[in-house]
Amino acid sequence: MLFFSFFKTLTNQTVTIELKNDIRIRGTLKSVDQYLNIKLDDVDVLDLDKYPHLSSVKNMFIRGSVVRYVMLPRSEVDIGLLEDATRREAANQAGKAR
Amino acid sequence: MSFFGFNTTLPRDRAPPIESRGIFDTPDPFAEVARARAEGFQGGDDDDVIDFEDTYDGLGDQLDDDQDAFNDDTFGGGVDPSPVGKDFDFFGRTAQVADVIGEEQIRYSLQQPGAPAASATATQPAADAALPGAAAQKPKRTGYEKYQDPGYIPDLQAKSSVWGMSKKPEPQPQPQPHLQLQQQLQQQLTPQMVSQAKKMLSLEEVEAQLRRQGPGSIPTQLPLPLPHSMPELAQPLQRAQMPPLPEGFAQLPPEIIQAQLAKGVPPAQLLHQPPMVPEPYPLPAHAPNLPMHLLQNANLPPQHMMSPQRQAMPPAAQRPQQQQPPPPQAPRGSATQLPVITNSQQLMHLTEEQRVAYLMEDAKRAKRNHKIFLLSKGNGLMTPQDKNFITRIQLQQLVAAAGNVADSDSEAVLAEDFYYQVYSQIRGAPRQHPHQPLGHFAQTYLLQTGNRLGGHGSRRQFQSADNHMQRMQQQVQRAVEAAKQKPKNKQLIIEGSLGKISFSNAKTPKPMLNIKRPESSEGAKTMKKPHTDLSVSDRKSVLTNLESVYNTLMEMEDMERTMPPPPDENDPEAIQKHMEWRQKIRSLNQKLWRELKVMEPIVPNTNTPHPFIAFLSYPKGKKAIPRIFRHIDQEQRVTILTMIVVHLDSLDVVRRAQPVPGETQPSLAVREAIDLFSQAVMPSLLGYVNEAPFNIIIGLLGLVIAQTQVHMISKTRIGLGILTMLLSRAEIVKEAGQATERDWQQWVEKFNVLFDTLEPTFADIFPSSINAGDDMYVWQFLAAVGIGASPEQQQRLVIAVKDRVMETVTYSKTLPADMASQRLGNVNLFMRAIGLDVELLG
């Protein structure tokens, strides 16, 4: 749930999402769910020349499994907190595995 | 336009209504004849001759022979330009307008409210109409009926027979002439039908007849070929089993045929029977009157007595041989008269297609009404309170069924959703409701219920609604508690298997195959290995230490959150709790202290850094210091400070920050480390030093002089920073007058040593180049030295750094105003400390 928890804090931030088919989309993260499906608003497709069919798309729902990267605004990430959250997650997982 | 043989006369065109007309008022052309005759009888006219004027409906007068504008509509001539030949498809043409016929019929019956009722009663089996399953027998009209029966004869007898059975005796006198006509017509073809219709027997009568004949008489019929006893019964069967002849569906309830087919009765076998046109077989008097099932039962071997089900459905093996019709009464229990009626109804269908259409409508309506009736049976059975009760039960089950109930408490929320929860607390963005879906759902649900009930006006209901709300809430709470108590069964471990099967829920969408770790044998060994390692400062063990430090820190922070309120002296339980908590904190603190490895023995003259210094060389370690300082006491803090001071020259930020000839500044990584150290560690140290007693400062300074290479330290930012820290603290203590004379003497002694050591290198402590960037820390250090220095030392200091001061002042003149003032300000920091000002330098 770490990533879900993490992405929830990024709602209404501008992120760039790179899909596994190399399309990169920049938009406002509207919401995310536990499958890391992503809803984007005010979408801009980078390399629009390559993907003209996306030129009229203004918002989209991206299935979590097709996302390769999510590029985040650095200022919106609390690294220390994220490290701690990661530790907790690891501890939780270890606890579950045992 | 009476083209299709039914009466389309509008009410206004119709002849004045006759008293009894409604009963047999059908679009049947024979009905007109019959009526004419009846009228003839009623009129007292004994003459059998049909008077044309009596029967003529006057439609011919309405016809306009010149007006053939609609002929195309009627005959479809406009559509098909080909000339009409000998093979003109009359029926096909008719079938094309079959829908119109149906509509016309409905319209007609709507216009004459009396007619539909009569025809409905006449055609619909009376017993069926009363039954709930009446709608099931929906005649399927295909339009092929007329082709199917070459001996197509309108059987008005059936209607009269129905009337004869009905409770209403009113129309009884009427059928008499009618019957005569019927007999005349039918005797030529199907005398047994007439006799059957004439002698309509009730069930009791049939049974009595059977009994009279004795048990032996009927079984004797067994070897007889069936057609003898059941000519017309076989006919519908034969049709029923032939899918291309859908007429059979109209006669037999469709479910029976479907059941037959489903049971695998091959239609081909049933087709063996030659098509039977009703023939004037000399039948036993009782035979046509027997309800089908009785005949069938009679023909069954004695085993049919075993069970009623068998009775209803003969064994599949026997049925094809016997060529038995499927028992039509199978779906309904009580329709003993059904076969007779079905039989006559069959003829009805054949004769009056329009009625069938109407019947379909009627059956549909009846079906719908029946459905409504069935549904409305439960109306008003439950009070709102009952409904609430049910809702509560459902809610409870819902709560119990949801596996992630425990998540609703804050601990679990924090465990699952730590980042988001803390982040929103820190950044103040409680944008989303932090409640878990379940709690949220329950709340919404309760709210809704409250609104719904609150909508009612009366006070009592208000109260009861409130009461229900409360009880529901309590119920949910209790359910949640119970679910918490219940051990969570999130995984299934099959004995002997390697993994576990995790049940997924919304929180853990992807079930993982968790490999069970053997706790006793392998795992423990691998866990112990790092501890047995000789070196405690190698990268891996340092990082392991770091992580365990962080884990302990988080535990301590969690403990802090759960700190019980300050205990009331009168409450031993609270005191007990508090004590336990303190005990836990203390043990955690000890654990943390051990993991920090501050107290590891200092090994002089080794290449291996002290574990704590190694700890500090990682960014994570540096970042941990402020958090550690919050959880340790003063003694531990001074120990850490001492540790750092003692190892000042082996600190990575000092050691690696030594100026390299040719390089204006250290590498980027080092600079980042220095920045991090001065941001994370220095404030903590400064925080302690500012409160530290003077003797500790003196001791620390002594350690710096004795244990470290001061020259090396003084060339780095961190080193100078720590020195500045100590010197300024001493100055503050002196200013505040807290220092005793003896301590001060001690301090001055140490200071002099430091000053003497540093004096030759004062010019070297600056960053190598004047434009290398920030040199404020140097001026701060010089200022701190200057304040504590004697006038003679100050003079020496000025001489040592004079060049740099002049250089900076000159350089600042080439800089933009704000940067220049900043640089000059830095210099002034030092100048003012020794009672001078850059302004004096002009």
Side-chain angles (χ1 to χ4, degrees):
Chain A
M1 297 306 286
L2 172 64
F3 282 93
F4 176 41
S5 188
F6 173 64
F7 281 119
K8 273 202 287 183
T9 65
L10 290 172
T11 47
N12 293 323
Q13 304 295 335
T14 302
V15 295
T16 306
I17 290 173
E18 182 173 323
L19 306 183
K20 285 177 179 169
N21 61 1
D22 296 335
I23 298 180
R24 285 179 297 158
I25 303 149
R26 185 174 50 226
T28 310
L29 181 70
K30 291 318 281 184
S31 76
V32 69
D33 66 6
Q34 75 264 33
Y35 302 103
L36 305 185
N37 298 331
I38 286 170
K39 233 165 87 178
L40 279 189
D41 212 345
D42 300 327
V43 159
D44 279 326
V45 177
L46 287 81
D47 297 332
L48 194 58
D49 301 344
K50 270 172 145 182
Y51 314 104
H53 58 286
L54 292 176
S55 54
S56 65
V57 180
K58 282 295 152 238
N59 51 49
M60 57 173 72
F61 177 87
I62 300 172
R63 188 182 155 97
S65 62
V66 303
V67 173
R68 183 184 288 147
Y69 299 124
V70 179
M71 281 154 259
L72 320 160
R74 181 176 213 137
S75 60
E76 296 301 323
V77 182
D78 188 330
I79 294 164
L81 183 60
L82 186 57
E83 283 175 355
D84 266 15
T86 313
R87 289 187 184 103
R88 276 178 177 274
E89 184 83 354
N92 281 349
Q93 294 297 332
K96 273 181 197 167
R98 225 177 291 122
Chain B
M1 211 172 73
S2 152
F3 179 74
F4 297 108
F6 54 82
N7 189 357
T8 56
T9 44
L10 297 173
R12 62 171 188 274
D13 302 329
R14 191 158 295 154
I18 305 149
E19 281 261 56
S20 56
R21 189 170 165 192
I23 302 152
F24 293 108
D25 189 10
T26 68
D28 191 299
F30 290 91
E32 288 295 340
V33 179
R35 191 192 307 147
R37 297 191 59 163
E39 281 164 12
F41 278 119
Q42 274 185 348
D45 192 350
D46 289 330
D47 197 357
D48 275 354
V49 177
I50 295 164
D51 193 346
F52 176 73
E53 289 302 322
D54 288 341
T55 56
Y56 182 53
D57 55 10
L59 281 173
D61 299 337
Q62 296 171 31
L63 285 175
D64 189 348
D65 290 337
D66 301 326
Q67 293 276 322
D68 50 4
F70 294 108
N71 277 3
D72 283 353
D73 286 356
T74 310
F75 302 105
V79 185
D80 190 3
S82 64
V84 177
K86 280 181 181 175
D87 56 347
F88 180 75
D89 182 13
F90 287 98
F91 186 79
R93 294 289 176 193
T94 313
Q96 280 174 10
V97 288
D99 289 345
V100 186
I101 296 170
E103 285 163 21
E104 199 74 358
Q105 172 61 21
I106 293 158
R107 192 180 63 85
Y108 167 70
S109 29
L110 285 177
Q111 282 169 348
Q112 288 177 300
S119 62
T121 342
T123 49
Q124 185 87 355
D128 257 8
L131 280 174
Q137 194 190 17
K138 211 158 78 178
K140 203 177 210 169
R141 189 173 54 86
T142 60
Y144 281 93
E145 281 89 344
K146 288 180 182 173
Y147 266 166
Q148 290 311 312
D149 195 350
Y152 153 71
I153 290 295
D155 183 16
L156 300 176
Q157 179 63 39
K159 284 182 290 181
S160 62
S161 72
V162 171
W163 279 109
M165 286 169 58
S166 85
K167 300 266 156 49
K168 281 189 269 179
E170 182 206 352
Q172 283 290 2
Q174 194 63 20
Q176 283 309 322
H178 200 80
L179 274 173
Q180 283 179 7
L181 170 71
Q182 292 298 313
Q183 282 163 8
Q184 280 174 1
L185 284 169
Q186 291 193 333
Q187 260 165 3
Q188 304 156 14
L189 287 169
T190 56
Q192 80 274 24
M193 271 187 189
V194 180
S195 70
Q196 163 205 358
K198 260 172 112 180
K199 284 190 70 181
M200 190 59 73
L201 297 180
S202 72
L203 173 63
E204 287 76 14
E205 285 171 309
V206 169
E207 280 173 347
Q209 232 169 2
L210 280 173
R211 240 177 261 121
R212 232 179 302 145
Q213 283 167 344
S217 67
I218 292 180
T220 51
Q221 288 181 346
L222 260 178
L224 283 177
L226 273 169
H228 264 289
S229 59
M230 311 165 58
E232 72 232 309
L233 294 182
Q235 187 186 11
L237 169 69
Q238 174 235 337
R239 287 196 191 137
Q241 302 303 340
M242 279 178 10
L245 301 175
E247 193 214 6
F249 287 90
Q251 293 146 7
L252 291 175
E255 60 264 38
I256 292 171
I257 294 153
Q258 282 164 6
Q260 282 292 97
L261 292 172
K263 270 181 257 167
V265 178
Q269 282 196 20
L270 293 156
L271 282 173
H272 280 176
Q273 189 165 7
M276 284 284 171
V277 179
E279 282 178 277
Y281 272 113
L283 284 174
H286 69 274
N289 297 331
L290 279 180
M292 253 193 232
H293 74 284
L294 287 178
L295 277 175
Q296 181 196 354
N297 286 349
N299 290 336
L300 275 176
Q303 64 178 9
H304 77 278
M305 306 295 273
M306 293 188 332
S307 74
Q309 280 217 330
R310 281 258 176 118
Q311 213 168 331
M313 292 179 187
Q318 288 182 355
R319 219 178 316 120
Q321 294 162 2
Q322 289 181 340
Q323 305 270 333
Q324 286 261 351
Q329 82 277 20
R332 321 185 181 102
S334 61
T336 48
Q337 293 169 346
L338 191 64
V340 177
I341 294 160
T342 310
N343 205 4
S344 62
Q345 196 187 13
Q346 161 200 353
L347 289 167
M348 291 295 294
H349 291 165
L350 291 173
T351 49
E352 297 168 13
E353 190 180 53
Q354 309 92 323
R355 294 215 169 187
V356 171
Y358 171 77
L359 271 180
M360 277 172 66
E361 292 301 312
D362 199 55
K364 267 185 202 166
R365 210 177 310 131
K367 191 178 180 181
R368 199 180 60 233
N369 287 340
H370 181 66
K371 240 181 202 168
I372 292 171
F373 167 73
L374 283 182
L375 288 176
S376 66
K377 257 195 294 191
N379 279 4
L381 266 180
M382 285 173 78
T383 62
Q385 282 76 16
D386 292 339
K387 286 174 190 164
N388 267 312
F389 186 68
I390 300 291
T391 314
R392 264 163 49 208
I393 291 172
Q394 286 172 336
L395 208 58
Q396 186 184 5
Q397 284 171 343
L398 203 71
V399 169
N404 50 2
V405 180
D407 294 350
S408 51
D409 76 306
S410 62
E411 280 302 311
V413 166
L414 219 58
E416 285 287 337
D417 204 12
F418 178 79
Y419 183 82
Y420 175 75
Q421 296 296 332
V422 179
Y423 188 92
S424 359
Q425 273 174 26
I426 293 171
R427 307 238 174 166
R431 182 192 48 78
Q432 205 177 323
H433 206 254
H435 273 278
Q436 290 304 291
L438 174 77
H440 193 68
F441 166 74
Q443 261 194 348
T444 327
Y445 190 83
L446 291 174
L447 211 68
Q448 268 182 2
T449 314
N451 286 344
R452 204 174 64 213
L453 290 175
H456 298 295
S458 93
R459 180 170 164 72
R460 202 191 130 268
Q461 263 175 335
F462 243 92
Q463 278 179 341
S464 83
D466 275 323
N467 200 10
H468 275 297
M469 279 281 286
Q470 283 172 1
R471 273 156 65 186
M472 207 120 95
Q473 260 166 347
Q474 284 166 5
Q475 187 98 3
V476 170
Q477 272 173 5
R478 254 180 280 143
V480 168
E481 290 296 322
K484 265 193 224 166
Q485 297 291 319
K486 192 183 72 178
K488 276 169 283 175
N489 194 14
K490 278 181 178 171
Q491 289 172 334
L492 173 70
I493 310 165
I494 299 163
E495 206 170 335
S497 70
L498 283 173
K500 297 176 179 182
I501 301 164
S502 327
F503 305 122
S504 72
N505 55 30
K507 291 278 149 198
T508 53
K510 222 175 207 173
M512 289 166 293
L513 183 66
N514 290 319
I515 305 300
K516 195 182 178 188
R517 286 182 192 168
E519 288 188 34
S520 50
S521 51
E522 297 273 334
K525 269 182 201 165
T526 51
M527 286 296 284
K528 269 180 186 164
K529 256 192 174 169
H531 292 284
T532 56
D533 213 326
L534 282 176
S535 164
V536 283
S537 294
D538 69 304
R539 183 181 157 80
K540 197 177 170 189
S541 52
V542 169
L543 287 177
T544 313
N545 283 342
L546 252 172
E547 279 309 310
S548 51
V549 164
Y550 267 106
N551 282 332
T552 312
L553 271 177
M554 286 198 293
E555 270 183 70
M556 294 182 87
E557 283 160 5
D558 275 356
M559 285 298 290
E560 226 174 29
R561 262 191 311 112
T562 58
M563 185 173 79
D568 183 7
E569 282 180 17
N570 301 327
D571 188 355
E573 197 179 323
I575 292 172
Q576 179 68 20
K577 257 187 172 173
H578 201 74
M579 293 299 287
E580 279 172 14
W581 181 80
R582 290 182 76 100
Q583 185 60 39
K584 271 187 203 158
I585 283 285
R586 211 171 296 134
S587 67
L588 280 174
N589 179 287
Q590 290 304 315
K591 192 178 166 212
L592 179 71
W593 194 240
R594 278 196 307 277
E595 286 160 351
L596 278 173
K597 307 215 179 292
V598 177
M599 300 307 279
E600 291 282 319
I602 299 167
V603 186
N605 304 320
T606 54
N607 285 334
T608 330
H610 188 270
F612 180 68
I613 300 304
F615 178 96
L616 274 182
S617 69
Y618 290 97
K620 273 200 281 189
K622 295 187 181 82
K623 282 185 215 161
I625 293 295
R627 289 169 73 176
I628 293 167
F629 262 61
R630 278 180 44 226
H631 294 286
I632 56 179
D633 55 34
Q634 291 287 4
E635 199 185 328
Q636 288 166 324
R637 283 175 195 163
V638 74
T639 313
I640 286 179
L641 180 60
T642 310
M643 222 48 208
I644 291 173
V645 166
V646 167
H647 292 97
L648 207 52
D649 49 359
S650 57
L651 269 180
D652 67 319
V653 284
V654 172
R655 189 165 38 86
R656 291 166 67 199
Q658 292 301 314
V660 182
E663 295 273 339
T664 55
Q665 54 181 359
S667 69
L668 181 69
V670 175
R671 269 184 289 149
E672 276 180 359
I674 291 169
D675 281 344
L676 185 59
F677 192 91
S678 45
Q679 279 166 25
V681 184
M682 290 299 272
S684 299
L685 298 179
L686 191 64
Y688 171 72
V689 166
N690 282 346
E691 295 167 7
F694 192 41
N695 56 350
I696 285 180
I697 305 296
I698 296 166
L700 288 173
L701 189 63
L703 278 175
V704 171
I705 293 162
Q707 298 280 330
T708 66
Q709 303 168 10
V710 180
H711 288 287
M712 195 180 152
I713 292 164
S714 64
K715 285 176 186 165
T716 65
R717 185 170 158 182
I718 298 300
L720 281 185
I722 287 178
L723 286 177
T724 310
M725 204 162 69
L726 296 175
L727 296 178
S728 55
R729 171 64 185 163
E731 193 55 35
I732 289 165
V733 170
K734 193 187 89 174
E735 294 288 321
Q738 290 166 347
T740 62
E741 192 61 33
R742 202 170 62 89
D743 281 347
W744 186 247
Q745 284 302 323
Q746 237 181 329
W747 169 256
V748 170
E749 217 173 281
K750 304 269 185 200
F751 180 80
N752 288 340
V753 175
L754 180 70
F755 191 87
D756 292 344
T757 318
L758 283 176
E759 193 183 4
T761 58
F762 268 139
D764 296 337
I765 62 174
F766 290 98
S768 55
S769 164
I770 185 94
N771 53 5
D774 189 19
D775 57 357
M776 190 176 79
Y777 64 94
V778 183
W779 296 114
Q780 279 175 340
F781 171 70
L782 290 176
V785 172
I787 288 172
S790 65
E792 180 247 353
Q793 283 169 329
Q794 283 178 355
Q795 256 186 345
R796 285 154 65 186
L797 192 60
V798 169
I799 292 165
V801 299
K802 186 186 70 186
D803 289 349
R804 183 73 181 201
V805 171
M806 297 309 291
E807 224 178 316
T808 308
V809 169
T810 319
Y811 178 69
S812 66
K813 281 175 185 165
T814 68
L815 287 172
D818 52 341
M819 282 178 75
S821 65
Q822 195 195 344
R823 296 299 284 265
L824 289 179
N826 289 341
V827 178
N828 232 356
L829 212 60
F830 162 68
M831 299 291 273
R832 293 215 176 117
I834 54 174
L836 297 171
D837 200 285
V838 265
E839 301 297 322
L840 300 173
L841 297 171

